Each structure stands twice: as structure tokens, then as C-alpha cells.
Amino acid sequence: MPLSEHEQRMLEQMERALYAEDPKFATALEGSGLRTYTRRRVYQAVAGFLVGIALLMAGMVAQQIWISVVGFLVMLGCAVLAVTGWRKAPKPGEQQARGGTAASGRQTRQRRRGQRRRDEQQGGGH
């Protein structure tokens, strides 16, 4: 559920206050939750890939082709998960846009700049 305009303004004000108060802490928090989630997902996919290899080998040893096929499918699925998770992971110091694309990130930054200008004009004019 998207935030309302009022909620977005309040969130942006809290972000600015956090950056003003403790910029190092605010920078450390940027994207760390998403980075941790995607890293954990990649590790789980690698573990699943290894389980798939074990199933593949067990099927070959037991001469049960269906076990080998299941192992191969597990390996394939986990490889896809690992690659997509790795590509989606934000780089250290890079903030992930809410929409997930560079264009929406640019729009968000432009909206914040415009809001700051309006806030400064309203604060300076009164």
C-alpha cells in the first residue's frame, strides 16, 4: 500500500532530521536491510544447489533416474534464484529506489528536492 502525500512528507522530514543529526548512522542504514535479505537468499540458493547435486549423485548411485531429475531441477531452480538475487542486491553505499528502477529513484530525488525548496520558501517567507 503506497504512502499518502502527508505520510511521504513526514517520512522525508524524519529522514532529513536523521541525516542532519547523525549522517554516518543514516548512511549506514541505507539499504542494509535489503542487502542482508538478498545476501541471505543467495546463500540459501547456494545451499539448495548443493542439495540438488547430492540428489543428482544419489540418484546415479541408486540407479533411480527420477531422483537425479529432481536433483537437477532443484539445482536449476536454486541457480536461477541465486543469479536473480545477486543481480537485485544493491551495492554498498547505493540506496535502493522504492520502485526498484533508476528512473523512479530519479523521480523520488527530484520530488524530494522540490519539496525541500517549497519548505525553504515557506519557512523563509514567513
Side-chain angles (χ1 to χ4, degrees):
M1 181 173 167
L3 297 175
S4 69
E5 287 292 321
H6 175 69
E7 291 170 331
Q8 286 179 352
R9 281 194 301 266
M10 291 191 62
L11 181 62
E12 289 169 359
Q13 287 175 354
M14 290 189 298
E15 286 175 357
R16 284 195 301 266
L18 178 61
Y19 274 102
E21 189 175 307
D22 195 353
K24 285 183 182 180
F25 178 67
T27 304
L29 288 179
E30 275 184 0
S32 63
L34 184 61
R35 229 183 359 253
T36 302
Y37 170 76
T38 52
R39 188 179 305 137
R40 186 178 318 127
R41 182 175 166 190
V42 168
Y43 290 151
Q44 288 171 348
V46 169
F49 188 85
L50 295 175
V51 168
I53 290 174
L55 283 172
L56 183 75
M57 300 304 280
M60 292 172 72
V61 168
Q63 295 181 349
Q64 296 291 321
I65 191 96
W66 66 272
I67 295 175
S68 295
V69 171
V70 169
F72 176 75
L73 292 175
V74 168
M75 288 170 52
L76 183 64
C78 289
V80 169
L81 281 176
V83 169
T84 57
W86 194 261
R87 286 183 181 170
K88 289 180 183 179
K91 308 294 184 271
E94 174 184 306
Q95 185 174 3
Q96 181 73 12
R98 284 186 189 130
T101 64
S104 65
R106 258 193 312 276
Q107 290 170 351
T108 303
R109 285 191 297 275
Q110 289 171 349
R111 204 176 322 124
R112 286 180 182 167
R113 271 191 236 125
Q115 183 62 39
R116 277 190 219 122
R117 285 189 204 118
R118 284 191 292 277
D119 291 346
E120 289 170 0
Q121 289 172 353
Q122 288 175 355
H126 296 281

